[in-house]
Amino acid sequence: MKNFIYQRQWGWLASGITLGLAFLLAVAFVKPVGVSTQFVILDGIVWDIFSDDVTIESSTSKTGYSSTNAYLNKGGGKYAKNIANPLNYSFIFVLAMVAGGFVGSKLQSDKVEKNEIYFIPKIWEKRFGSSLNKRYLATFLGGILVLFGARLAGGCTSGHMMSGIMQTSLSGYLFALGAFATAVPVAIMMYNKEE
Amino acid sequence: MNIILAIILGLLFGFVLQKSGAANPQRIIDMLRLKDFHLMKAIAVGIGTSSFSLFILLAINVIDVAHIGVKASYVGVIIGGAILGLGWAISGFCPGTGVVAVGTGRKDAMFFIVGGLLGAFIYTLLYGSLKTTFLFDSLGGKATLAATGSSKYIALLPSAPAFVIAGGIAISFIIIAWKLPNSQSNQV
């Protein structure tokens, strides 16, 4: 057990079973795992500091909150409500994920030296060189696309693909179809040339 | 209580994503370029085992059906998925694995998160003008293959017992995981 916790990386079977368990426990105790909505909530928390009408307490809305922004006002103001009350389950869950990653990497018996090259995946370096700025620009642009896409789809790999297909949701399959349809050809075009 | 559960379940999920290698963009890119199926196998086993357990536990009322949450199907699910797929291949991160990678100390993941916050903000501003377009045309609404037992969701295969359908799908996923080629290297 101790070795298992300290291993740098688990094999596919152990990874799969523990991943499945994490998704199952979340739905058993609270609700399916979701991540991408919380990017909107964090944006809203910051935006709320600078503007008065991002969240408005409203007795006529279902959640008690509304917003002048159509997206934050959606579903009876549920995003506006969570922005006004950041200490809610979904937001804390995502913050705890950061801590989970931290604990996981700290409890690793063979330490990886986090020198500059560590932030560039080997395959990226082979294809695009060892410029850190280039890599950072790519992850920044990738981030814009990933979260814009996830919000349009109404969920991401966690919410749609894993939680969705777990529940046999049609939307989970449609999302996976869309995501792999671009991700696989783009990854092959971008990274497979050097071989 | 909910906050304590959020901390425990979030910690567990983050820890597992890190240990499975999903927070390592090299692993993601190698999966997407079809060179290393470690993560694909893990995802398939994860979906298979959790789905089968979920429908068994729903059938014997251990899990409250009010806890499940099925998302709607509309055109934007596919198009949004495709846009996400582009960024996923470029960066090697998705929202959850990017968040966990920040916890492991990856600076490239921090740039991903900042980009993600911008992308989500752009969407927040554009939603008002997108919501009346074809992107939100329904493709079946909140539908599942196996009957969940909740009247909020449409069951596409209502005649067979739910755990038989979910079980069949789960077994298919586990067979796929088992049949996909093994990873060439365990350490990337």
Side-chain angles (χ1 to χ4, degrees):
Chain A
M1 186 63 197
K2 206 174 166 195
N3 275 343
F4 188 65
I5 298 285
Y6 287 96
Q7 245 173 49
R8 179 163 164 202
Q9 200 195 286
W10 295 335
W12 64 270
L13 189 59
S15 297
I17 291 171
T18 48
L19 265 177
L21 192 65
F23 279 94
L24 184 68
L25 287 175
V27 75
F29 284 107
V30 190
K31 61 176 190 173
V33 169
V35 178
S36 66
T37 307
Q38 303 317 311
F39 283 74
V40 176
I41 302 302
L42 183 53
D43 280 336
I45 291 169
V46 177
W47 195 13
D48 205 17
I49 299 170
F50 298 102
S51 166
D52 290 333
D53 40 355
V54 174
T55 63
I56 306 158
E57 284 191 49
S58 147
S59 52
T60 52
S61 107
K62 203 171 80 187
T63 61
Y65 287 88
S66 67
S67 174
T68 51
N69 175 278
Y71 194 50
L72 305 182
N73 197 39
K74 198 169 83 97
K78 59 180 181 186
Y79 294 160
K81 185 188 176 192
N82 285 353
I83 289 165
N85 306 284
L87 279 178
N88 63 75
Y89 171 82
S90 303
F91 193 64
I92 300 297
F93 179 91
V94 171
L95 293 184
M97 284 173 65
V98 180
F102 178 78
V103 173
S105 67
K106 284 291 164 199
L107 289 183
Q108 193 164 283
S109 47
D110 60 328
K111 295 285 180 238
V112 187
E113 200 195 331
K114 296 211 167 64
N115 53 15
E116 299 221 310
I117 209 74
Y118 172 78
F119 303 119
I120 304 175
K122 282 195 194 93
I123 182 69
W124 176 276
E125 193 199 352
K126 263 192 206 165
R127 193 73 186 84
F128 303 106
S130 55
S131 158
L132 264 178
N133 288 340
K134 216 170 171 180
R135 168 70 184 155
Y136 291 161
L137 180 66
T139 54
F140 175 75
L141 294 175
I144 296 178
L145 291 170
V146 166
L147 266 300
F148 185 91
R151 287 296 82 215
L152 173 58
C156 62
T157 331
S158 302
H160 261 315
M161 206 184 285
M162 298 289 297
S163 304
I165 297 181
M166 172 180 79
Q167 300 172 106
T168 73
S169 303
L170 175 63
S171 57
Y173 288 95
L174 295 180
F175 174 84
L177 183 78
F180 283 112
T182 54
V184 170
V186 169
I188 289 173
M189 277 188 292
M190 271 183 79
Y191 300 107
N192 276 9
K193 273 184 186 159
E194 85 333 318
E195 281 160 340
Chain B
M1 186 55 195
N2 249 2
I3 298 299
I4 295 167
L5 279 173
I7 293 170
I8 296 170
L9 293 168
L11 265 171
L12 173 71
F13 185 47
F15 186 81
V16 168
L17 276 181
Q18 200 272 334
K19 287 297 179 189
S20 66
N24 181 344
Q26 177 81 35
R27 280 285 193 201
I28 298 272
I29 291 169
D30 281 346
M31 168 182 78
L32 295 176
R33 67 194 190 105
L34 309 178
K35 291 285 180 187
D36 178 351
F37 292 98
H38 164 84
L39 274 180
M40 192 79 88
K41 288 161 83 83
I43 291 170
V45 167
I47 290 175
T49 52
S50 61
S51 186
F52 189 61
S53 319
L54 172 66
F55 278 89
I56 292 285
L57 295 174
L58 280 174
I60 59 173
N61 290 319
V62 171
I63 292 183
D64 185 352
V65 69
H67 285 194
I68 67 166
V70 175
K71 294 172 189 282
S73 294
Y74 50 91
V75 175
V77 172
I78 304 175
I79 295 179
I83 296 171
L84 175 141
L86 274 176
W88 195 21
I90 293 169
S91 63
F93 294 117
C94 55
T97 64
V99 164
V100 175
V102 166
T104 71
R106 287 197 73 104
K107 284 190 192 144
D108 53 347
M110 293 172 200
F111 282 85
F112 174 83
I113 298 296
V114 175
L117 289 168
L118 180 60
F121 192 63
I122 295 170
Y123 184 77
T124 302
L125 296 178
L126 290 182
Y127 174 77
S129 41
L130 294 177
K131 68 176 178 181
T132 50
T133 65
F134 75 99
L135 289 169
F136 288 89
D137 288 354
S138 177
L139 291 177
K142 295 184 176 179
T144 57
L145 299 176
T148 57
S150 166
S151 56
K152 287 189 332 200
Y153 309 123
I154 308 149
L156 297 174
L157 303 168
S159 47
F163 66 88
V164 172
I165 295 170
I169 296 170
I171 291 165
S172 319
F173 272 106
I174 292 168
I175 291 173
I176 290 169
W178 180 47
K179 288 286 179 191
L180 280 169
N182 274 314
S183 178
Q184 299 299 312
S185 63
N186 192 37
Q187 306 276 297
V188 180

